[in-house]
Amino acid sequence: MLRVENLSKHYSARRAVDNISFSLKSGEVTALLGINGAGKTTTLRMLTGYITPTSGSVFIGGENIIDEREKLLTEVGYLPENPALYNDMTVEDFLIYMYRLRLATRENESAAVERALTRCALGERRHDYIASLSAGFRKRVGLAQAIIHEPKVLLLDEPIADLDPRQIREIKSLLREFRTDHAILVSSHILKEVHEFADRILLMHGGRILADAQTASIPAGDLENWFMQHTEAAA
């Protein structure tokens, strides 16, 4: 579904992302796991077209989309760590706005908004102003705007950061549901939570991918040791 080849981003002498390659497929949640500063957010921003790579390619369905901003808008859904939500808009109005922004059309708008509200359990909050929502519901609105246009790929930057245990459980449940229709890449630095919702883990450190493993192959009790062995070996 999505393929990354030799992707790099350099800032002068600093290599924020250093020649990484991986692929995503539908039906799978892949976690991009790493400490703060590992290069996770920079990677996601390149995949969304927000920043331009120094080198490398990104393919969706076999087509290189690095310079195809219009295609990115229709094929990729993105949830930043701190999504830009408009506090003076209702949930429904915000989703309508994002649908039109993404697809530049009003065709099928009502059905798309209803579907996103339902999938993210926001139906009862549709007329609430975003300013009145809790952190958990604001994250749901961010997820709803990311799926409003039914993208093939979902890129989610720290979607469970700063949430309470109940909210984290709800977001993880949504991610499991979304895997059916999307190839999902989730960045996170929370070892335990990643093990519970991800099918696969890409371990990122110092701008590089150090390991690519199926989550089921790493016992929950060994995850920290697995993480430390790889990162210490790369130091």
Side-chain angles (χ1 to χ4, degrees), residues 36-231:
N36 292 333
K40 305 187 301 297
T41 294
T42 300
T43 297
L44 293 185
R45 288 178 175 175
M46 285 191 287
L47 300 185
T48 62
Y50 183 75
I51 59 177
T52 303
T54 301
S55 59
S57 302
V58 179
F59 298 91
I60 294 180
E63 184 176 354
N64 193 337
I65 49 83
I66 284 292
D67 298 317
E68 297 290 337
R69 180 64 177 169
E70 184 174 342
K71 189 171 183 65
L72 277 171
L73 286 172
T74 59
E75 302 286 9
V76 175
Y78 178 45
L79 174 65
E81 182 176 359
N82 298 301
L85 305 178
Y86 297 120
N87 288 330
D88 58 348
M89 299 181 77
T90 66
V91 172
E92 184 175 18
D93 286 343
F94 177 71
L95 294 180
I96 290 172
Y97 171 72
M98 292 304 297
Y99 182 83
R100 295 176 185 176
L101 188 65
R102 287 279 191 178
L103 299 178
T105 181
R106 298 186 182 186
E107 185 178 358
N108 300 320
E109 177 185 287
S110 296
V113 171
E114 288 299 327
R115 184 168 55 246
L117 287 169
T118 299
R119 293 183 73 189
C120 295
L122 287 167
E124 294 183 359
R125 299 301 185 100
R126 66 192 306 150
H127 299 305
D128 291 1
Y129 284 96
I130 291 174
S132 71
L133 301 179
S134 67
F137 274 104
R138 291 174 69 88
K139 195 73 77 170
R140 285 173 182 261
V141 174
L143 283 169
Q145 66 78 29
I147 65 169
I148 190 71
H149 56 303
E150 292 293 305
K152 294 178 180 177
V153 179
L154 277 180
L155 305 174
L156 313 176
D157 196 0
E158 299 282 0
I160 59 176
D162 303 322
L163 299 182
D164 65 36
R166 178 182 60 81
Q167 293 166 341
I168 289 173
R169 184 172 64 250
E170 292 171 349
I171 296 300
K172 288 192 295 187
S173 178
L174 288 175
L175 292 179
R176 296 187 191 101
E177 293 177 17
F178 290 169
R179 66 156 59 93
T180 303
D181 302 310
H182 312 277
I184 304 176
L185 180 65
V186 180
S187 76
S188 182
H189 63 278
I190 307 174
L191 295 174
K192 179 178 180 295
E193 301 297 347
V194 161
H195 196 274
E196 293 181 1
F197 69 74
D199 303 293
R200 174 179 165 222
I201 298 175
L202 299 174
L203 177 56
M204 192 168 195
H205 187 75
R208 293 179 290 144
I209 301 292
L210 301 184
D212 180 349
Q214 292 298 311
T215 308
S217 70
I218 312 169
D222 291 340
L223 184 59
E224 185 173 350
N225 289 333
W226 177 83
F227 179 89
M228 295 305 297
Q229 286 172 1
H230 284 89
T231 54

